[in-house]
Short mmCIF file of all heavy atoms in Angstrom, two decimals:
data_model
loop_
_atom_site.label_atom_id
_atom_site.label_comp_id
_atom_site.label_asym_id
_atom_site.label_seq_id
_atom_site.Cartn_x
_atom_site.Cartn_y
_atom_site.Cartn_z
N PHE S 777 65.48 59.32 109.28
CA PHE S 777 64.63 59.57 108.13
C PHE S 777 63.46 58.53 108.15
O PHE S 777 63.77 57.32 108.10
CB PHE S 777 65.38 59.47 106.82
CG PHE S 777 64.70 60.15 105.62
CD1 PHE S 777 63.50 60.76 105.78
CD2 PHE S 777 65.36 60.12 104.40
CE1 PHE S 777 62.96 61.46 104.62
CE2 PHE S 777 64.85 60.72 103.27
CZ PHE S 777 63.68 61.40 103.38
N LEU S 778 62.23 59.00 108.24
CA LEU S 778 61.02 58.18 108.34
C LEU S 778 60.28 58.07 107.02
O LEU S 778 59.92 59.15 106.50
CB LEU S 778 60.11 58.58 109.48
CG LEU S 778 58.95 57.68 109.81
CD1 LEU S 778 59.36 56.28 110.27
CD2 LEU S 778 58.01 58.35 110.81
N LYS S 779 60.07 56.90 106.46
CA LYS S 779 59.37 56.75 105.24
C LYS S 779 58.15 55.91 105.45
O LYS S 779 58.11 54.96 106.33
CB LYS S 779 60.24 56.08 104.20
CG LYS S 779 61.41 56.93 103.72
CD LYS S 779 61.08 57.62 102.39
CE LYS S 779 62.25 58.29 101.81
NZ LYS S 779 61.95 58.90 100.52
N LEU S 780 57.13 56.05 104.60
CA LEU S 780 55.93 55.19 104.59
C LEU S 780 55.83 54.53 103.21
O LEU S 780 55.79 55.25 102.27
CB LEU S 780 54.66 56.04 104.87
CG LEU S 780 53.33 55.36 104.78
CD1 LEU S 780 53.15 54.31 105.84
CD2 LEU S 780 52.18 56.37 104.93
N ALA S 781 55.94 53.20 103.16
CA ALA S 781 56.11 52.44 101.95
C ALA S 781 54.82 51.68 101.54
O ALA S 781 54.17 51.11 102.40
CB ALA S 781 57.32 51.47 102.06
N PHE S 782 54.58 51.69 100.24
CA PHE S 782 53.53 50.90 99.57
C PHE S 782 54.19 50.20 98.41
O PHE S 782 54.30 50.69 97.27
CB PHE S 782 52.37 51.75 99.10
CG PHE S 782 51.68 52.49 100.18
CD1 PHE S 782 52.01 53.80 100.56
CD2 PHE S 782 50.64 51.79 100.90
CE1 PHE S 782 51.29 54.42 101.57
CE2 PHE S 782 49.99 52.45 101.93
CZ PHE S 782 50.29 53.76 102.33
N PRO S 783 54.53 48.79 98.59
CA PRO S 783 54.98 48.06 97.45
C PRO S 783 53.85 47.52 96.70
O PRO S 783 52.98 46.76 97.10
CB PRO S 783 55.79 46.90 98.17
CG PRO S 783 55.15 46.81 99.50
CD PRO S 783 54.61 48.13 99.93
N LEU S 784 53.84 47.90 95.35
CA LEU S 784 52.72 47.58 94.51
C LEU S 784 53.02 46.58 93.49
O LEU S 784 54.14 46.49 92.95
CB LEU S 784 52.31 48.94 93.76
CG LEU S 784 52.05 50.18 94.70
CD1 LEU S 784 51.85 51.37 93.83
CD2 LEU S 784 50.95 49.92 95.66
N ASP S 785 52.03 45.69 93.26
CA ASP S 785 52.20 44.75 92.14
C ASP S 785 51.80 45.38 90.81
O ASP S 785 50.68 45.19 90.28
CB ASP S 785 51.23 43.48 92.46
CG ASP S 785 51.48 42.34 91.49
OD1 ASP S 785 52.41 42.37 90.73
OD2 ASP S 785 50.68 41.37 91.52
N LEU S 786 52.70 46.09 90.34
CA LEU S 786 52.41 46.87 89.14
C LEU S 786 53.73 47.12 88.38
O LEU S 786 54.80 47.47 88.95
CB LEU S 786 51.80 48.25 89.64
CG LEU S 786 51.24 49.20 88.63
CD1 LEU S 786 49.95 49.91 89.21
CD2 LEU S 786 52.19 50.28 88.16
N HIS S 787 53.60 46.99 87.09
CA HIS S 787 54.77 47.18 86.13
C HIS S 787 54.72 48.56 85.44
O HIS S 787 53.72 48.78 84.64
CB HIS S 787 54.84 46.11 85.12
CG HIS S 787 55.97 46.23 84.11
ND1 HIS S 787 57.20 45.64 84.38
CD2 HIS S 787 56.10 46.85 82.99
CE1 HIS S 787 58.00 45.99 83.34
NE2 HIS S 787 57.32 46.66 82.46
N ALA S 788 55.46 49.41 85.85
CA ALA S 788 55.43 50.79 85.24
C ALA S 788 56.86 51.37 85.13
O ALA S 788 57.60 51.28 85.92
CB ALA S 788 54.61 51.76 86.13
N GLU S 789 57.13 51.83 83.82
CA GLU S 789 58.46 52.37 83.62
C GLU S 789 58.50 53.90 83.92
O GLU S 789 59.53 54.43 83.90
CB GLU S 789 58.87 52.17 82.07
CG GLU S 789 59.08 50.75 81.75
CD GLU S 789 59.61 50.52 80.40
OE1 GLU S 789 59.80 51.50 79.68
OE2 GLU S 789 59.83 49.42 80.02
N ARG S 790 57.35 54.47 84.25
CA ARG S 790 57.29 55.87 84.60
C ARG S 790 56.13 56.05 85.54
O ARG S 790 55.14 55.22 85.58
CB ARG S 790 57.24 56.71 83.34
CG ARG S 790 55.86 56.60 82.59
CD ARG S 790 55.80 57.58 81.49
NE ARG S 790 54.45 57.62 80.87
CZ ARG S 790 54.10 58.56 79.94
NH1 ARG S 790 54.90 59.38 79.46
NH2 ARG S 790 52.88 58.45 79.42
N TYR S 791 56.14 57.17 86.25
CA TYR S 791 55.03 57.50 87.10
C TYR S 791 54.77 59.01 86.97
O TYR S 791 55.65 59.79 86.60
CB TYR S 791 55.26 57.09 88.53
CG TYR S 791 56.29 57.94 89.25
CD1 TYR S 791 55.89 59.02 90.06
CD2 TYR S 791 57.64 57.66 89.17
CE1 TYR S 791 56.87 59.78 90.74
CE2 TYR S 791 58.64 58.44 89.82
CZ TYR S 791 58.13 59.52 90.60
OH TYR S 791 59.07 60.23 91.33
N ALA S 792 53.50 59.37 87.27
CA ALA S 792 53.07 60.79 87.10
C ALA S 792 53.12 61.38 88.51
O ALA S 792 52.80 60.85 89.56
CB ALA S 792 51.66 60.91 86.60
N SER S 793 53.67 62.64 88.53
CA SER S 793 53.81 63.45 89.76
C SER S 793 53.17 64.79 89.60
O SER S 793 53.46 65.48 88.56
CB SER S 793 55.26 63.54 90.05
OG SER S 793 55.47 64.41 91.23
N GLU S 794 52.23 65.12 90.46
CA GLU S 794 51.56 66.41 90.30
C GLU S 794 52.53 67.52 90.50
O GLU S 794 53.32 67.57 91.42
CB GLU S 794 50.38 66.50 91.23
CG GLU S 794 49.49 67.68 90.93
CD GLU S 794 48.35 68.01 91.88
OE1 GLU S 794 48.55 67.69 93.07
OE2 GLU S 794 47.37 68.57 91.48
N THR S 795 52.32 68.58 89.63
CA THR S 795 53.12 69.82 89.85
C THR S 795 52.03 70.97 89.60
O THR S 795 50.82 70.75 89.42
CB THR S 795 54.20 69.85 88.89
OG1 THR S 795 55.05 71.04 89.21
CG2 THR S 795 53.85 69.96 87.41
N GLN S 796 52.57 72.14 89.44
CA GLN S 796 51.61 73.29 89.23
C GLN S 796 50.84 73.12 87.87
O GLN S 796 51.49 72.96 86.84
CB GLN S 796 52.34 74.61 89.21
CG GLN S 796 52.97 74.99 90.57
CD GLN S 796 54.38 74.69 90.67
OE1 GLN S 796 55.06 74.22 89.70
NE2 GLN S 796 55.00 75.00 91.84
N PHE S 797 49.54 73.23 87.98
CA PHE S 797 48.68 73.21 86.86
C PHE S 797 48.89 71.96 85.90
O PHE S 797 48.92 72.06 84.67
CB PHE S 797 48.82 74.46 86.01
CG PHE S 797 48.44 75.72 86.73
CD1 PHE S 797 49.35 76.67 87.16
CD2 PHE S 797 47.10 75.93 87.16
CE1 PHE S 797 49.03 77.74 87.83
CE2 PHE S 797 46.78 77.03 87.86
CZ PHE S 797 47.71 78.00 88.27
N GLY S 798 49.07 70.80 86.54
CA GLY S 798 49.24 69.59 85.83
C GLY S 798 50.08 68.54 86.45
O GLY S 798 50.20 68.54 87.70
N HIS S 799 50.68 67.74 85.67
CA HIS S 799 51.60 66.66 86.21
C HIS S 799 52.72 66.40 85.08
O HIS S 799 52.51 66.81 83.98
CB HIS S 799 50.84 65.38 86.52
CG HIS S 799 50.17 64.73 85.35
ND1 HIS S 799 48.84 64.98 85.07
CD2 HIS S 799 50.63 63.88 84.38
CE1 HIS S 799 48.46 64.32 83.98
NE2 HIS S 799 49.56 63.69 83.53
N PHE S 800 53.64 65.66 85.51
CA PHE S 800 54.75 65.30 84.49
C PHE S 800 55.30 63.90 85.01
O PHE S 800 54.93 63.42 86.07
CB PHE S 800 55.76 66.22 84.37
CG PHE S 800 56.74 66.38 85.55
CD1 PHE S 800 58.00 65.81 85.55
CD2 PHE S 800 56.30 67.06 86.64
CE1 PHE S 800 58.81 65.93 86.64
CE2 PHE S 800 57.06 67.20 87.77
CZ PHE S 800 58.38 66.66 87.72
N PHE S 801 55.95 63.29 84.05
CA PHE S 801 56.34 61.89 84.31
C PHE S 801 57.90 61.80 84.66
O PHE S 801 58.73 62.53 84.11
CB PHE S 801 56.16 61.07 83.09
CG PHE S 801 54.64 60.88 82.81
CD1 PHE S 801 54.02 61.72 81.88
CD2 PHE S 801 53.98 59.92 83.48
CE1 PHE S 801 52.62 61.57 81.66
CE2 PHE S 801 52.52 59.79 83.20
CZ PHE S 801 51.90 60.64 82.31
N ARG S 802 58.17 60.90 85.64
CA ARG S 802 59.56 60.56 85.94
C ARG S 802 59.72 59.02 85.75
O ARG S 802 58.76 58.30 85.94
CB ARG S 802 59.90 60.88 87.33
CG ARG S 802 59.91 62.36 87.67
CD ARG S 802 60.52 62.60 89.18
NE ARG S 802 60.44 63.97 89.56
CZ ARG S 802 59.54 64.46 90.28
NH1 ARG S 802 58.47 63.65 90.78
NH2 ARG S 802 59.53 65.74 90.66
N PRO S 803 60.86 58.57 85.34
CA PRO S 803 61.10 57.14 85.13
C PRO S 803 61.17 56.47 86.42
O PRO S 803 61.58 57.01 87.55
CB PRO S 803 62.43 57.06 84.42
CG PRO S 803 63.11 58.34 84.81
CD PRO S 803 62.10 59.41 84.92
N THR S 804 60.84 55.21 86.53
CA THR S 804 61.03 54.35 87.67
C THR S 804 62.31 53.62 87.71
O THR S 804 62.69 52.92 88.60
CB THR S 804 59.82 53.38 87.81
OG1 THR S 804 59.87 52.49 86.69
CG2 THR S 804 58.47 54.06 87.93
N HIS S 805 63.02 53.72 86.57
CA HIS S 805 64.28 52.98 86.42
C HIS S 805 65.41 53.99 86.61
O HIS S 805 65.23 55.22 86.65
CB HIS S 805 64.38 52.26 85.15
CG HIS S 805 64.21 53.22 83.88
ND1 HIS S 805 65.20 54.05 83.45
CD2 HIS S 805 63.17 53.49 83.08
CE1 HIS S 805 64.75 54.84 82.48
NE2 HIS S 805 63.52 54.39 82.19
N THR S 806 66.64 53.44 86.53
CA THR S 806 67.87 54.35 86.70
C THR S 806 68.88 53.95 85.55
O THR S 806 70.02 53.72 85.81
CB THR S 806 68.54 54.04 88.03
OG1 THR S 806 68.76 52.63 88.25
CG2 THR S 806 67.66 54.52 89.20
N ASN S 807 68.38 54.03 84.40
CA ASN S 807 69.23 53.71 83.23
C ASN S 807 70.43 54.59 83.06
O ASN S 807 71.48 54.20 82.73
CB ASN S 807 68.39 53.85 81.92
CG ASN S 807 67.58 52.63 81.66
OD1 ASN S 807 67.52 51.68 82.36
ND2 ASN S 807 66.75 52.69 80.57
N THR S 808 70.26 55.90 83.40
CA THR S 808 71.33 56.85 83.28
C THR S 808 71.60 57.55 84.59
O THR S 808 70.76 57.47 85.56
CB THR S 808 70.89 57.95 82.20
OG1 THR S 808 69.92 58.79 82.74
CG2 THR S 808 70.45 57.34 80.94
N SER S 809 72.64 58.27 84.63
CA SER S 809 73.02 59.03 85.85
C SER S 809 71.94 60.12 86.09
O SER S 809 71.74 60.48 87.29
CB SER S 809 74.43 59.63 85.80
OG SER S 809 74.49 60.49 84.59
N TRP S 810 71.30 60.63 85.15
CA TRP S 810 70.31 61.68 85.32
C TRP S 810 69.15 61.11 86.09
O TRP S 810 68.53 61.73 87.03
CB TRP S 810 69.80 62.24 84.00
CG TRP S 810 70.86 62.98 83.25
CD1 TRP S 810 71.79 62.50 82.36
CD2 TRP S 810 71.19 64.44 83.25
NE1 TRP S 810 72.60 63.52 81.92
CE2 TRP S 810 72.23 64.66 82.45
CE3 TRP S 810 70.47 65.45 84.04
CZ2 TRP S 810 72.76 65.91 82.24
CZ3 TRP S 810 71.04 66.73 83.87
CH2 TRP S 810 72.13 66.95 83.05
N GLU S 811 68.70 59.83 85.77
CA GLU S 811 67.65 59.14 86.41
C GLU S 811 67.98 58.73 87.80
O GLU S 811 67.20 58.92 88.75
CB GLU S 811 67.12 58.06 85.54
CG GLU S 811 66.46 58.48 84.24
CD GLU S 811 66.74 57.56 83.09
OE1 GLU S 811 67.50 56.61 83.26
OE2 GLU S 811 66.29 57.86 81.99
N ALA S 812 69.25 58.23 87.93
CA ALA S 812 69.69 57.76 89.25
C ALA S 812 69.75 58.88 90.28
O ALA S 812 69.50 58.68 91.43
CB ALA S 812 70.99 57.07 89.10
N ALA S 813 70.04 60.12 89.74
CA ALA S 813 70.20 61.23 90.70
C ALA S 813 68.85 61.67 91.23
O ALA S 813 68.78 62.33 92.32
CB ALA S 813 70.80 62.32 89.90
N LYS S 814 67.76 61.24 90.66
CA LYS S 814 66.39 61.69 91.14
C LYS S 814 65.91 60.63 92.17
O LYS S 814 64.69 60.24 92.14
CB LYS S 814 65.46 61.91 89.96
CG LYS S 814 65.81 62.95 89.03
CD LYS S 814 64.85 63.13 87.91
CE LYS S 814 65.35 64.37 87.01
NZ LYS S 814 64.38 64.64 85.91
N PHE S 815 66.76 60.29 93.17
CA PHE S 815 66.28 59.26 94.18
C PHE S 815 65.41 59.86 95.21
O PHE S 815 64.87 59.09 95.99
CB PHE S 815 67.55 58.62 94.78
CG PHE S 815 68.43 59.54 95.47
CD1 PHE S 815 68.21 59.95 96.82
CD2 PHE S 815 69.61 59.97 94.94
CE1 PHE S 815 69.10 60.83 97.50
CE2 PHE S 815 70.56 60.88 95.56
CZ PHE S 815 70.20 61.27 96.86
N GLU S 816 65.16 61.18 95.21
CA GLU S 816 64.16 61.78 96.06
C GLU S 816 63.62 62.94 95.31
O GLU S 816 64.33 63.70 94.70
CB GLU S 816 64.74 62.35 97.40
CG GLU S 816 63.82 62.85 98.37
CD GLU S 816 63.03 61.86 99.14
OE1 GLU S 816 63.31 60.64 99.01
OE2 GLU S 816 62.12 62.20 99.93
N ALA S 817 62.36 63.01 95.20
CA ALA S 817 61.70 63.95 94.22
C ALA S 817 60.43 64.58 94.92
O ALA S 817 60.02 64.13 95.98
CB ALA S 817 61.33 63.25 92.92
N CYS S 818 59.86 65.52 94.18
CA CYS S 818 58.78 66.32 94.71
C CYS S 818 57.44 65.98 94.03
O CYS S 818 57.42 65.76 92.80
CB CYS S 818 58.97 67.81 94.53
SG CYS S 818 57.66 68.88 95.29
N ASN S 819 56.32 65.83 94.82
CA ASN S 819 55.06 65.80 94.25
C ASN S 819 54.18 66.77 95.06
O ASN S 819 54.48 67.05 96.16
CB ASN S 819 54.43 64.38 94.16
CG ASN S 819 54.14 63.93 95.58
OD1 ASN S 819 55.03 63.62 96.38
ND2 ASN S 819 52.86 63.78 95.92
N HIS S 820 53.02 67.15 94.41
CA HIS S 820 52.08 67.90 95.20
C HIS S 820 51.03 66.90 95.85
O HIS S 820 51.41 66.23 96.73
CB HIS S 820 51.45 68.91 94.36
CG HIS S 820 52.29 70.08 94.03
ND1 HIS S 820 51.91 71.22 93.36
CD2 HIS S 820 53.62 70.20 94.23
CE1 HIS S 820 52.91 72.07 93.24
NE2 HIS S 820 54.02 71.42 93.70
N ARG S 821 49.88 66.82 95.32
CA ARG S 821 48.90 66.04 95.96
C ARG S 821 48.84 64.56 95.61
O ARG S 821 48.28 63.76 96.31
CB ARG S 821 47.47 66.64 95.66
CG ARG S 821 47.20 67.98 96.39
CD ARG S 821 45.94 68.63 95.94
NE ARG S 821 46.15 69.14 94.60
CZ ARG S 821 46.04 70.43 94.22
NH1 ARG S 821 45.73 71.33 95.16
NH2 ARG S 821 46.25 70.79 93.02
N PHE S 822 49.49 64.22 94.53
CA PHE S 822 49.43 62.76 94.19
C PHE S 822 50.73 62.35 93.36
O PHE S 822 51.42 63.13 92.71
CB PHE S 822 48.15 62.42 93.31
CG PHE S 822 48.22 63.01 91.92
CD1 PHE S 822 48.92 62.38 90.88
CD2 PHE S 822 47.48 64.12 91.53
CE1 PHE S 822 48.93 62.84 89.58
CE2 PHE S 822 47.49 64.67 90.31
CZ PHE S 822 48.24 64.02 89.24
#
Side-chain angles (χ1 to χ4, degrees):
F777 197 0
L778 184 64
K779 292 262 188 175
L780 176 63
F782 295 95
L784 308 175
D785 187 10
L786 190 142
H787 179 89
E789 293 187 357
R790 65 178 190 171
Y791 71 96
S793 175
E794 190 187 29
T795 189
Q796 292 100 1
F797 298 112
H799 60 265
F800 69 104
F801 293 97
R802 294 189 185 97
T804 60
H805 58 75
T806 55
N807 279 359
T808 71
S809 59
W810 294 88
E811 292 143 359
K814 296 183 181 181
F815 59 82
E816 184 78 5
C818 183
N819 69 289
H820 287 190
R821 288 170 288 240
F822 71 80

